[in-house]
Amino acid sequence: AQAVKLDPDNANLLNLQGYAYAFAGNLEAARKAFEEYAARPGQEANALDSLAEAYYLNGRFEEAEKQFQASYAKDPNMNGGLALSKAAYARLLRRDGAGADQLHAQFVEARKKAKDPSIILRDAMWWYSTGRRDRALQALPAGPDPVAARLRAVWSNPALASLPMEQWKQLFERTTPSEAGTVRTFYAEALLKAGKREEAKQLVRMWPLPEGPGDPTLTSQMLPRFLAVRAALAELQ
C-alpha cells in the first residue's frame, strides 16, 4: 500500500497490491485494488484475470470462473487464452467435471485455430491433472519431443519427481508466493509424509493457481497431489 502511495501512477503496483491482499485473505480489499487497476488504460482484461486468481487462491471457485470467463471475453488472446483454461479448472473444482471438460475443449479448439504449438502438451496435461493418466499419455505427441518424453516417464512413474523434504523447503523459500503453488504442494506432501501435519496444513489452506509457471512434469501433478494432501489432512483432523 505504501508503494502505491509513493507511485500512484504505477498500474503494476496496483495489481501487485491486489495480489498481496488476496494472499492475506482480504478479498474485498483485493477487489477494490483490481477495480482501480482495471480503470487504467488497457488493463481491464488483466484486472479481471487477477481478480479471478484472487478468488481461486481463496477457494471461491464460482466467482473465480465468472471472472476468468469475463477476462477471456474481454481479450481472448491475452496470455495465449489461458483465462479460459483457468476457468475450466475452476469449474472442475466446483465438482462439474463434464462442464470443465467442455470449457477445456473450447480452449483447445481456440488455440488450435490460433496455431498454438503448445496446445498439444497443455491438452495432455489437462487429462493427467484431472486424473485420466491413460488418456494423457495417448495425447502426448509422438516422436523425439524431449518434454513429452519426460512427461511420459514421470506420469508412468510419479516417484521420479520426488525430492527430499529439505530440498522442497529450500525451493519453497526461494519462490515468490504467486509462483509457489507447485513447490508448496510438493513441500506440503513431504511434510505430511514426515508426520508434520500442522505444518502441512498451513501450506494447503490457500489453493495453488492453475496453469502456473515451472516444469510441466511438476505442474501437471500439482492438482491431484494437492487434493490428496488436503484429503489426508481432513481424515487426520
Side-chain angles (χ1 to χ4, degrees):
Q2 188 64 31
V4 173
K5 289 179 181 179
L6 293 173
D7 190 3
D9 294 327
N10 191 323
N12 186 54
L13 285 179
L14 276 173
N15 195 38
L16 292 175
Q17 182 184 56
Y19 277 104
Y21 285 132
F23 279 106
N26 190 342
L27 285 172
E28 181 59 23
R31 183 185 62 78
K32 289 179 180 178
F34 291 134
E35 285 181 351
E36 188 173 350
Y37 174 53
R40 303 302 173 90
Q43 302 300 337
E44 188 173 358
N46 195 50
L48 290 167
D49 184 71
S50 296
L51 178 57
E53 291 193 336
Y55 283 128
Y56 192 104
L57 284 164
N58 286 277
R60 301 270 291 272
F61 301 118
E62 184 174 357
E63 294 100 323
E65 182 192 337
K66 179 180 178 181
Q67 299 302 325
F68 281 135
Q69 297 248 39
S71 174
Y72 184 77
K74 181 64 63 174
D75 184 357
N77 295 312
M78 185 185 71
N79 296 328
L82 284 181
L84 186 57
S85 180
K86 289 184 283 190
Y89 281 98
R91 178 74 66 88
L92 179 73
L93 292 171
R94 292 176 58 201
R95 301 188 179 185
D96 180 1
D101 282 346
Q102 289 176 357
L103 287 174
H104 172 70
Q106 292 175 27
F107 170 65
V108 170
E109 182 180 2
R111 297 319 299 166
K112 283 182 176 179
K113 287 182 178 178
K115 302 187 184 305
D116 181 351
S118 73
I119 193 57
I120 297 175
L121 287 177
R122 288 193 179 279
D123 183 43
M125 289 170 67
W126 167 261
W127 300 117
Y128 188 86
S129 295
T130 56
R132 290 165 282 189
R133 189 191 70 170
D134 289 346
R135 183 162 182 176
L137 290 168
Q138 292 172 2
L140 285 172
D145 185 300
V147 177
R150 195 163 70 248
L151 286 170
R152 189 173 287 108
V154 172
W155 290 352
S156 298
N157 182 10
L160 293 173
S162 296
L163 292 174
M165 183 177 69
E166 189 59 32
Q167 285 186 247
W168 287 122
K169 179 182 179 181
Q170 292 172 4
L171 287 169
F172 175 66
E173 291 174 346
R174 294 201 304 262
T175 309
T176 61
S178 62
E179 298 180 346
T182 301
V183 174
R184 178 161 54 88
T185 298
F186 278 82
Y187 181 31
E189 181 185 64
L191 285 167
L192 181 61
K193 288 179 179 178
K196 299 183 178 183
R197 180 169 64 91
E198 291 303 318
E199 291 180 56
K201 190 184 297 184
Q202 293 302 316
L203 293 180
V204 295
R205 291 190 185 281
M206 185 156 287
W207 288 78
L209 291 171
E211 298 289 354
D215 185 341
T217 59
L218 300 181
T219 57
S220 60
Q221 295 187 69
M222 178 182 68
L223 182 59
R225 289 191 183 226
F226 185 87
L227 292 172
V229 171
R230 281 180 65 101
L233 288 168
E235 291 172 2
L236 291 169
Q237 289 176 350

